[in-house]
């Protein structure tokens, strides 16, 4: 009877509720979900992270080395790392695992030392005193026999990006090749009619290519599938020239005197919709006869093309020889930019006076040329874009010349790119853009705006494009304005990624950027100007034909001119090379400008998902711009107005309570009622 009474009582209901809560929590240890409502999905793994983990074919281990009882703010970082790796692990790939190493044990410290994880010094408050101690805050990623470290993880900013790119770099081309379901189709095209001419190595062409492919297959697990195709018809030669940019060789038709036939030689590595070409151009030797250029190092060229086809971490070409910003100079050059991008890309300097653009280079950076680029090199750049390459052009309008005891002078730069860019749809102006919405320095006599350093808010950046999405407070420095061509190419899409505010104007010769004597023009002369334009599509060649047709002996001539892009190319143009300089890019890579320049490089290399991953967790939500009067009002209201409102609210509540008490007394005591005589 007592049991029935207890079960029917309220106390049993409370106990039952407690049991249900415990059971639900036990079940949810392995079954849980969460909804990420943050802008940019800050607390959810990006698609590139998911894809990186999903394609793992061999075991990969992430070891976490964090000391216990870390002081703020480092204690939250350790928790964030564990939660983030749990997200990676929840993707379900059995080849991914992570482990938390106990750093309080001797074994844990020995493991950290074997992985190359260094301790860092942190400060904490103990017994009301600042004290220093050594602590571990690092991650090691091990794959096969290789280990990569992430040292000194002192914040959560961009941590997913760092982990994902480290895994991607470590796995590299080996993992990409192992993940392939199909082999890389390798095709050698040649015209047998060329055997009649004295071409060095032509008789051994198939054997040399076969040996090179076999050597590559021995190192890459048989990844290449070689096929040889002979090309006899003129129409087929023309088609290969249009599709792959092969050289078209003209030779006399023996059966029809006075007429010429067409021949070609070249290789293609193809994987799905992507391909890399290896031209084998015919050239005349110094002492007579002919030779196929590039045949002597064909294995090296095949390896370079294969790397460019497979790798997510490709080599990037960097044009030199015209006064461009130096890659090894972190003070006045682009050294910081190179250091920030070196975890994903290998920069290769290319001097077109001496070298050609090598196979495997899909992106070429032209960063601040100061002297004219010769026509022959412009032609090489043009044909690179026609083959589907990506050109990233950062061209300054003026060169700043500093002289002792005199203000700087500004000399116009004639780099030779302006007309060629116009042909592609982008007009590069010869001016300096100035903007009221600019960086402001504080001095003793007040604030002074630097109009030549415009600050671009979120509304001035394309928030739908991966390069500029989620960014704000991006600065430009002494940049020229841009414009889309009045008649852009039909198959090219133009997109303005960055533009000034509506209160901008331009300055042309003579240039004087002294802020003390600078004032904006009338409002009617102010407008918004594009500062960065992206063009994508099938570009038309700037050149009407080859610079010169190589005429060889016995009536043979060769031409490899591409009139229209054979693949979709990319062209990104900005009017300032300072986007890669130390004035705008911080070494840590966390400023909006540092993120912007890395996003630009990622997108041009086909890594469209990485920009969104990089910006996650970063403080890219600046407050909107306000006037000094409005800021003073908000400050005064916070200091005086809010306390007054609290006092008034307190008085109002006190008066209401007093009135309520009086009403209660009148109701129950009759106080204040008049007596009525009968």
């Amino acid at each position: 009877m007592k049991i029935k009474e207890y079960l029917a009582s309220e106390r049993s209901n409370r106990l039952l509720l407690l049991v249900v809560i415990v059971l639900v929590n036990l079940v949810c240890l392995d079954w849980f979900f969460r909804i990420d409502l943050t802008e940019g999905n800050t607390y959810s793994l990006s698609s590139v992270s998911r894809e990186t983990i999903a394609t793992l074919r061999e075991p990969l281990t992430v070891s976490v080395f964090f000391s216990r009882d870390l002081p703020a703010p480092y204690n939250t970082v350790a928790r964030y790392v564990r939660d983030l790796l749990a997200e990676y692990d929840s993707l379900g790939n059995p080849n991914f695992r992570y482990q938390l190493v106990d750093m309080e044990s001797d074994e844990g410290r020995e493991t950290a030392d074997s992985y190359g994880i260094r301790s860092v010094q942190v400060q904490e408050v103990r017994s009301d005193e600042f004290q220093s101690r050594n602590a571990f805050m690092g991650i090691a990623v091990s794959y096969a026999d290789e280990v990569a470290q992430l040292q000194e993880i002192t914040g959560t900013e961009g941590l997913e990006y760092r982990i994902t790119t480290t895994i991607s770099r470590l796995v590299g081309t080996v993992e990409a090749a192992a993940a392939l379901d199909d082999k890389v189709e390798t095709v050698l095209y040649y015209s047998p009619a060329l055997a009649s001419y004295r071409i060095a190595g032509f008789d051994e062409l198939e054997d040399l290519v076969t040996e090179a492919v076999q050597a590559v297959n021995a190192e890459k697990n048989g990844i290449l599938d070689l096929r040889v195709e002979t090309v006899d018809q003129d129409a087929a030669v023309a088609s290969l020239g249009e599709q792959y940019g092969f050289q078209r060789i003209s030779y006399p038709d023996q059966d029809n005197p006075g007429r010429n036939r067409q021949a070609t030689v070249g290789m293609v590595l193809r994987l799905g919709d992507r391909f890399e070409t290896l031209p084998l151009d015919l050239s005349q030797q110094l002492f007579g006869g002919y030779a196929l250029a590039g045949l002597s190092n064909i294995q090296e060229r095949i390896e370079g093309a294969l790397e460019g086809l497979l790798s997510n971490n490709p080599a990037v070409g960097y044009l030199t020889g015209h006064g461009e910003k130096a890659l090894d100079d972190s003070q006045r050059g682009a050294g910081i930019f190179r250091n920030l991008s070196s975890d994903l890309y290998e920069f290769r300097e290319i001097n077109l006076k001496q070298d050609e653009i090598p196979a495997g280079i899909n992106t070429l950076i032209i960063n601040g040329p100061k002297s004219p680029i010769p026509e022959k090199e412009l032609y090489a750049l043009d044909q690179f874009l026609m083959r589907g390459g990506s050109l990233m052009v950062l061209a300054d309008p003026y060169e700043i010349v500093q002289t002792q005891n005199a203000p700087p002078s500004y000399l116009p730069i004639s780099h030779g790119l302006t007309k060629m860019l116009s042909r592609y749809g982008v007009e590069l102006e010869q001016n300096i853009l100035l903007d009221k919405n600019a960086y402001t320095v504080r001095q003793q006599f007040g604030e002074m705006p630097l109009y030549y350093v415009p600050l671009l808010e979120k509304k001035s950046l394309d928030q739908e494009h991966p390069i500029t999405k989620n960014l704000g407070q991006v600065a430009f420095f002494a940049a020229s304005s841009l414009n889309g061509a009045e008649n852009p190419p039909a198959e090219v899409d133009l997109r303005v990624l960055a533009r000034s505010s509506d209160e901008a104007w331009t300055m042309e010769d003579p240039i004087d950027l002294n802020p003390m004597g600078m004032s904006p023009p009338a409002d009617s002369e102010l407008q918004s100007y594009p500062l960065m334009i992206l063009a994508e599509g099938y570009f038309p060649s700037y050149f009407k034909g080859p610079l010169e047709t190589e005429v060889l002996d016995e009536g043979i001539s060769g031409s490899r001119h591409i009139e229209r892009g054979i693949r979709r190319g990319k062209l990104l143009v900005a009017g300032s090379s300072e986007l890669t300089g130390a004035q705008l890019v911080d070494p840590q890579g966390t400023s909006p400008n540092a993120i912007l320049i890395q996003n630009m490089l990622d997108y041009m290399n086909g890594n469209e998902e990485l920009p969104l991953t990089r910006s996650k967790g970063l403080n890219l939500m600046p407050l909107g711009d306000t006037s000094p009067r409005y800021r003073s009002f908000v400050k005064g209201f916070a200091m005086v107005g809010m306390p007054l409102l609290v006092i008034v609210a307190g008085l109002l509540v006190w008066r209401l309570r007093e009135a309520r008490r009086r009403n209660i007394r009148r109701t129950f005591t009759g106080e204040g009622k008049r007596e009525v005589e009968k």
Side-chain angles (χ1 to χ4, degrees), residues 445-487:
F445 51 82
E447 295 183 345
M448 182 173 62
L450 303 180
Y451 297 120
Y452 55 88
V453 188
L455 285 179
L456 277 57
E457 309 292 346
K458 292 188 69 173
K459 62 182 180 181
S460 297
L461 300 168
D462 188 341
Q463 294 299 314
E464 299 299 323
H465 197 275
I467 291 178
T468 48
K469 188 173 184 179
N470 298 329
L471 291 180
Q473 292 290 316
V474 170
F476 276 67
F477 183 90
S480 68
S481 64
L482 307 177
N483 272 310
E486 294 184 3
N487 297 309

Side-chain angles (χ1 to χ4, degrees), residues 64-68 99-112 136:
V64 181
F65 302 90
F66 268 79
S67 300
R68 297 179 188 173
Q99 60 180 358
L100 307 177
V101 181
D102 182 11
M103 299 310 299
E104 305 305 317
S105 64
D106 294 337
E107 182 181 358
R109 288 188 288 271
E110 292 176 359
T111 303
F136 288 90

